[in-house]
Amino acid sequence: MHIVVTGGAGFIGANFVHHVVREHPGTQVTVLDALTYAGDRRSLDPVADKITFVTGDVADAATVDPLVAAADAVVHFAAESHNDNSLAQPWPFVQTNVVGTYTLLEAVRKHGRRLHHVSTDEVYGDLELDDPAKFTPETAYNPSSPYSSTKAASDMLVRAWVRSFGVAATISNCSNNYGPYQHVEKFIPRQVTNVIDGVRPKLYGTGANVRDWIHVDDHNAAVWQVLTRGQVGQTYLIGADGEVDNKTVVETLLELMGQPSDAYDLVSDRPGHDLRYAIDATRLRDELGWTPKYTSFRDGLAATVDWYRANEAWWRPQKNATEAKYATLGR
Ligand code: NAD
Ligand code: TDX
């Protein structure tokens, strides 16, 4: 099989390419990535001689069309992915997440190719802290931010292209990922690299918000299962029962890094900040037999801390610019 991986120089996409090269070595991989601030070719260095890399925009039909024509399937990770950025500057989210997905859909329609669209649990909005409910594939879409609304729009385009044009697509909606090669703008890498730099972690609001954490390798193993064995037209929710509130995440990180567990600062909250996400992954587990390998969040966090300690050369070039952006937001 020959797959095009869009966004393969980003956090999850790069880990997916590593996973495919390691676990499914007969697969031919072409990465398409625009190398925005969030993309880093160095994340693919360990597999560089086993893949083809194309620098280009998913919203550019002239770039996308021949790549799709030459492949069997597309796994679509490319997106603007950070909520805080979407609040400061929404337009790139509309362009990449909506127009980019449209452009890919037209190419897979024209050439009769398989598409797997990687999406997020944030399309469902949020849950109350004390609500026993979790998101299911039947939960109504109710996105809160420019980021999540553009991801919701992209999911709707995929569904429409499946129904109206018979495009062979699947969608997965995953919860918050953590692991190696995640940009330092995101919650866990930001706090780990802050502590390495002797800076106190920054918790938005009261730190009570809950995220349903999953290791990126478990997400990617699920994406492969859906791509190769999922039912066309179906939506799969991906999550590993990893609900933890932000305060507990920071306290655990501080403890793992040898600091007092209260050595953090509360900062101003994110506007529209979703309270809680929680995934019911029953379909994925029952239909495709997927189970997560990382069952201890604490152990997965410890391994992630070790990775950031060992790979300062990878994250250091992004750190100052990222913190300068946060400083303008007062966070
Ligand atoms: P990321 O920001 O780390 O990486 C995005 C990648 O896409 C970068 O390499 C960037 O250069 C590339 N890109 C951006 N615009 C592009 C364009 N116009 N054309 C081509 N490439 C472009 O994001 P991530 O965290 O790896 O997320 C990957 C996907 O997974 C996204 O679709 C996101 O919505 C989804 N997702 C992320 C999470 C999470 O916790 N990070 C959870 C669920 C779903
Ligand atoms: O410094 C911080 N302090 C803080 O308290 C940062 C950067 C974040 N937070 C909070 C906000 C969230 O409650 O931590 C939580 C996680 O924040 P992010 O890492 O920005 O992730 P989130 O907004 O939950 O979205 C992530 O998961 C779903 C990804 O960025 C999305 O791409 C994915 O779709």
Side-chain angles (χ1 to χ4, degrees):
M1 183 165 58
H2 179 185
I3 57 174
V4 171
V5 179
T6 74
F11 163 46
I12 306 175
N15 279 288
F16 180 76
V17 173
H18 289 217
H19 176 90
V20 171
V21 167
R22 191 173 61 236
E23 307 287 332
H24 310 286
T27 312
Q28 190 184 339
V29 178
T30 300
V31 169
L32 171 63
D33 197 295
L35 295 178
T36 67
Y37 82 96
D40 192 334
R41 255 192 103 149
R42 295 174 308 154
S43 306
L44 294 168
D45 279 352
V47 295
D49 59 340
K50 299 196 171 61
I51 63 163
T52 305
F53 189 92
V54 178
T55 307
D57 185 344
V58 281
D60 176 25
T63 302
V64 165
D65 193 83
L67 294 176
V68 170
D72 301 301
V74 179
V75 186
H76 179 32
F77 291 96
E80 287 290 338
S81 69
H82 193 39
N83 274 300
D84 289 319
N85 291 343
S86 84
L87 295 162
Q89 208 184 356
W91 169 247
F93 290 73
V94 178
Q95 173 64 21
T96 289
N97 301 359
V98 183
V99 180
T101 302
Y102 158 80
T103 307
L104 269 182
L105 281 165
E106 283 295 81
V108 296
R109 168 157 90 111
K110 180 171 162 195
H111 298 291
R113 301 297 188 252
R114 174 83 168 82
L115 172 71
H116 180 67
H117 176 62
V118 177
S119 193
T120 169
D121 60 357
E122 297 191 18
V123 298
Y124 299 115
D126 59 357
L127 299 161
E128 294 297 328
L129 293 179
D130 58 358
D131 186 345
K134 297 183 175 205
F135 299 137
T136 74
E138 284 70 46
T139 305
Y141 275 40
N142 187 25
S144 313
S145 73
Y147 163 68
S148 52
S149 62
T150 57
K151 291 298 291 188
S154 69
D155 292 9
M156 293 300 166
L157 292 177
V158 176
R159 290 182 182 195
W161 263 241
V162 168
R163 174 156 173 171
S164 298
F165 304 127
V167 161
T170 41
I171 299 174
S172 56
N173 298 85
C174 188
S175 57
N176 285 60
N177 285 220
Y178 71 98
Y181 299 108
Q182 186 168 30
H183 195 280
V184 290
E185 70 190 355
K186 301 299 192 322
F187 179 49
I188 288 175
R190 184 183 186 204
Q191 315 312 340
V192 171
T193 54
N194 275 353
V195 175
I196 291 172
D197 280 351
V199 173
R200 288 160 70 94
K202 311 272 181 254
L203 267 178
Y204 293 174
T206 62
N209 304 61
V210 171
R211 296 295 182 263
D212 189 352
W213 292 100
I214 182 172
H215 193 278
V216 64
D217 289 348
D218 285 330
H219 179 188
N220 282 328
V223 167
W224 180 266
Q225 294 285 348
V226 176
L227 173 71
T228 54
R229 296 174 47 229
Q231 278 181 59
V232 163
Q234 193 61 277
T235 290
Y236 294 85
L237 269 54
I238 306 175
D241 297 323
E243 282 187 69
V244 189
D245 65 68
N246 293 341
K247 185 163 163 283
T248 303
V249 173
V250 161
E251 287 170 349
T252 309
L253 281 176
L254 284 164
E255 192 200 318
L256 287 168
M257 298 181 77
Q259 302 294 317
S261 62
D262 61 352
Y264 58 81
D265 292 328
L266 296 178
V267 295
S268 66
D269 207 353
R270 172 186 283 171
H273 194 177
D274 280 340
L275 210 46
R276 170 175 161 249
Y277 307 135
I279 287 276
D280 176 347
T282 303
R283 174 178 288 161
L284 180 70
R285 288 175 183 266
D286 288 359
E287 212 180 275
L288 301 180
W290 172 90
T291 50
K293 291 207 170 94
Y294 287 80
T295 46
S296 159
F297 179 56
R298 190 191 165 81
D299 291 352
L301 264 190
T304 305
V305 169
D306 288 346
W307 190 88
Y308 280 89
R309 283 200 201 278
N311 290 278
E312 182 166 345
W314 182 85
W315 57 264
R316 178 60 68 192
Q318 316 296 337
K319 184 66 180 168
N320 285 346
T322 302
E323 289 305 320
K325 233 193 251 182
Y326 278 120
T328 66
L329 301 173
R331 292 203 280 278

